């Protein structure tokens, strides 16, 4: 994972969400209101995106269509890696010009294999930077999806930003239940409530979620996008409520907290944690205070791909609290928390 996105790297946003969550509506809104850059959109299959220009290239694996606003819609029928290589060749040769890439997954896709593509393949890692994972959630049907389709859990668990749609189709009580369930699965992602895809691109593009930054967000609310007020976002506290139903989701958020840590001990802890449970850990990030070091130690990972770096210095001793958030399938939290606390300096 890189510390920041150099200007030479192409930023890519992964757009995911279960069937009917509104991904195509969001893309249509972006294309209609995006006039200052060229975007290439990769889809597994064509949806009702308005395409009104000529086919640039067609073969059995990749179809590219250029739209009148300069954006590009691309259908991938083969491997994503191969498609990204071909797009890189066309961009390098000047055959295609675009400023960013958006990948729209199918509604039944687990994001994990797509995310790993950006860290495993050498050419992709050197030319493309994963910016963020954006998950759309259909508020009207998500509770049923979570109960019946485990991939919906994974889509929410991987998210850096969650866009809640169709809230106008449910009452406030159900909306509170939906938001609280999402928060239990992933209490790191910021939640936005938007109607008909109307959300400023600044809220879901150029998030830099995979930078090794000092920020460690623990979300305590959500934002409502008001289309009548120039798409301003109003923050609302989490609508906490007593739950009358129990959830058996096997993905949830775990928070580890301690004081100053011994570098060797926390290193050994993280190595053991990733080795044993990395396949179940969807996303994780830590900002750690290390004994005799003025800088924050930043840890961030997806499954078994993990990055470490030192960030900005602590401003005062009272701030020196180590926090690690893990979004994962079920972990033995008490056992791991005991081990985490043992990394504290004597």
């Amino acid at each position: 994972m890189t510390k920041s996105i150099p200007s030479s790297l192409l930023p890519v946003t992964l757009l995911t969400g279960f069937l009917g969550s509104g991904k195509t509506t969001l893309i249509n809104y972006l294309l209609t209101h995006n006039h200052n850059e060229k975007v290439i959109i990769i889809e597994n299959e064509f949806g009702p995106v308005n395409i009104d220009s000529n086919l640039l290239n067609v073969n059995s694996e990749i179809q590219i269509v250029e739209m009148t606003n300069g954006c590009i819609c691309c259908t991938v029928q083969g491997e994503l890696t191969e498609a990204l290589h071909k797009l890189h060749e066309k961009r390098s040769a000047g055959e295609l010009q675009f400023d960013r890439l958006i990948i729209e997954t199918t509604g039944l896709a687990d994001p994990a294999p797509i995310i790993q593509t950006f860290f495993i393949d050498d050419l992709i890692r050197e030319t493309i930077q994963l910016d963020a994972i954006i998950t759309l959630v259909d508020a009207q049907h998500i509770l049923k999806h979570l109960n019946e389709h485990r991939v919906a859990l994974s889509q929410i668990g991987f998210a850096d930003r969650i866009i809640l749609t169709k809230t106008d189709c449910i009452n406030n009580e159900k909306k509170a239940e939906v938001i609280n369930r999402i928060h239990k699965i992933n209490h790191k992602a910021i939640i936005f409530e938007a109607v008909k895809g109307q959300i400023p691109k600044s809220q879901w593009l150029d998030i830099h979620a995979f930078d090794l930054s000092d920020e460690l967000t623990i979300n305590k609310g959500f934002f409502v996008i008001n289309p009548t007020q120039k798409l301003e976002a109003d923050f609302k506290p989490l609508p906490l409520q007593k739950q009358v139903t129990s959830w058996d989701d096997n993905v949830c958020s775990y928070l580890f907290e301690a004081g100053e840590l011994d570098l060797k001990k926390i290193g050994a802890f993280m190595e053991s944690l990733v080795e044993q449970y990395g396949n179940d850990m969807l996303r994780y990030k830590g900002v750690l205070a290390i004994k005799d070091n003025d800088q924050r130690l930043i840890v961030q990972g997806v499954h078994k791909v993990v990055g470490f770096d030192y960030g900005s210095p602590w401003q005062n001793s009272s701030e020196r609290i180590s926090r690690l958030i893990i979004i994962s399938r079920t972990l033995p939290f008490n056992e791991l928390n005991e081990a985490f606390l043992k990394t504290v300096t004597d």
Side-chain angles (χ1 to χ4, degrees):
M1 295 184 183
T2 55
K3 189 174 182 179
S4 61
I5 301 180
S7 58
S8 59
L9 295 182
L10 178 72
V12 57
T13 299
L14 181 61
L15 187 63
T16 186
F18 204 75
L19 297 169
S21 59
K23 298 186 293 297
T24 299
T25 302
L26 179 68
I27 288 177
N28 270 327
Y29 184 83
L30 171 69
L31 296 181
T32 304
H33 296 83
N34 187 54
H35 305 293
N36 58 354
E37 66 178 0
K38 293 184 177 180
V39 181
I40 187 163
I41 298 164
I42 291 184
E43 298 181 314
N44 296 99
E45 58 189 9
F46 279 123
V49 177
N50 296 323
I51 298 170
D52 49 7
S53 189
N54 296 321
L55 213 58
L56 298 181
N57 180 56
V58 180
N59 60 42
S60 61
E61 295 156 346
I62 183 171
Q63 296 178 2
I64 300 174
V65 175
E66 187 172 26
M67 291 168 272
T68 54
N69 64 355
C71 293
I72 298 165
C73 188
C74 166
T75 302
V76 177
Q77 297 174 339
E79 291 292 330
L80 175 63
T81 299
E82 185 175 355
L84 292 175
H85 284 195
K86 289 184 178 181
L87 290 175
H88 171 70
E89 291 175 8
K90 289 180 178 293
R91 189 178 188 231
S92 299
E95 297 177 29
L96 290 177
Q97 295 183 354
F98 49 92
D99 303 308
R100 72 168 65 252
L101 174 64
I102 297 174
I103 298 177
E104 179 188 351
T105 71
T106 62
L108 296 174
D110 188 323
I114 301 173
I115 297 168
Q116 290 175 323
T117 299
F118 294 95
F119 301 108
I120 294 174
D121 184 88
D122 290 339
L123 177 63
I124 293 173
R125 191 172 62 246
E126 293 169 2
T127 58
I128 297 176
Q129 171 65 44
L130 185 57
D131 178 65
I133 300 160
I134 311 298
T135 299
L136 272 72
V137 172
D138 174 354
Q140 188 177 13
H141 300 103
I142 188 59
L143 297 179
K144 176 177 170 57
H145 293 160
L146 287 170
N147 291 337
E148 298 178 0
H149 304 278
R150 310 311 287 181
V151 70
L153 275 167
S154 183
Q155 291 170 347
I156 293 174
F158 274 111
D160 298 295
R161 295 279 167 96
I162 292 171
I163 301 175
L164 195 62
T165 65
K166 303 183 184 179
T167 54
D168 54 326
C169 299
I170 60 175
N171 59 34
N172 289 334
E173 184 179 356
K174 184 172 181 181
K175 184 169 75 171
E177 184 179 4
V178 167
I179 291 174
N180 278 280
R181 188 165 180 181
I182 291 172
H183 183 255
K184 182 181 178 183
I185 296 168
N186 183 338
H187 65 210
K188 181 176 177 293
I190 297 175
I191 303 172
F192 288 88
E193 178 186 334
V195 177
K196 297 180 180 178
Q198 298 182 49
I199 181 171
K201 68 176 185 179
S202 60
Q203 305 293 2
W204 64 282
L205 297 178
D206 294 325
I207 303 303
H208 304 284
F210 284 83
D211 293 5
L212 285 169
S213 69
D214 296 345
E215 182 182 2
L216 185 61
T217 302
I218 301 176
N219 191 22
K220 298 182 183 301
F222 65 106
F223 293 87
V224 178
I225 304 296
N226 190 334
T228 64
Q229 299 179 357
K230 297 182 179 180
L231 301 183
E232 293 181 357
D234 297 324
F235 179 79
K236 305 290 184 183
L238 279 171
L240 297 175
Q241 60 176 197
K242 183 178 180 180
Q243 299 298 336
V244 297
T245 57
S246 61
W247 303 323
D248 61 352
D249 301 331
N250 70 337
V251 174
C252 65
S253 301
Y254 298 91
L255 175 62
F256 299 81
E257 288 186 304
E260 291 188 341
L261 310 181
D262 179 273
L263 182 59
K264 290 185 177 180
K265 291 179 180 178
I266 190 61
F269 171 83
M270 289 302 305
E271 182 178 355
S272 174
L273 178 71
V274 172
E275 178 61 30
Q276 291 186 65
Y277 302 105
N279 290 334
D280 292 321
M281 293 161 51
L282 280 62
R283 299 288 297 275
Y284 47 101
K285 183 172 182 178
V287 177
L288 310 177
I290 303 301
K291 179 70 173 179
D292 298 328
N293 193 314
D294 292 334
Q295 291 179 288
R296 295 169 170 86
L297 178 61
I298 314 302
V299 181
Q300 184 168 221
V302 174
H303 285 320
K304 291 190 175 183
V305 180
V306 59
F308 297 84
D309 199 5
Y310 282 103
S312 62
W314 298 96
Q315 296 302 311
N316 55 66
S317 57
S318 63
E319 291 182 348
R320 296 177 66 90
I321 300 174
S322 299
R323 293 187 176 93
L324 174 66
I325 295 177
I326 303 176
I327 300 166
S328 175
R329 298 180 182 89
T330 306
L331 293 175
F333 175 74
N334 291 336
E335 174 186 332
L336 291 175
N337 191 49
E338 184 178 341
F340 180 76
L341 294 175
K342 288 181 179 177
T343 68
V344 174
T345 55
D346 298 328

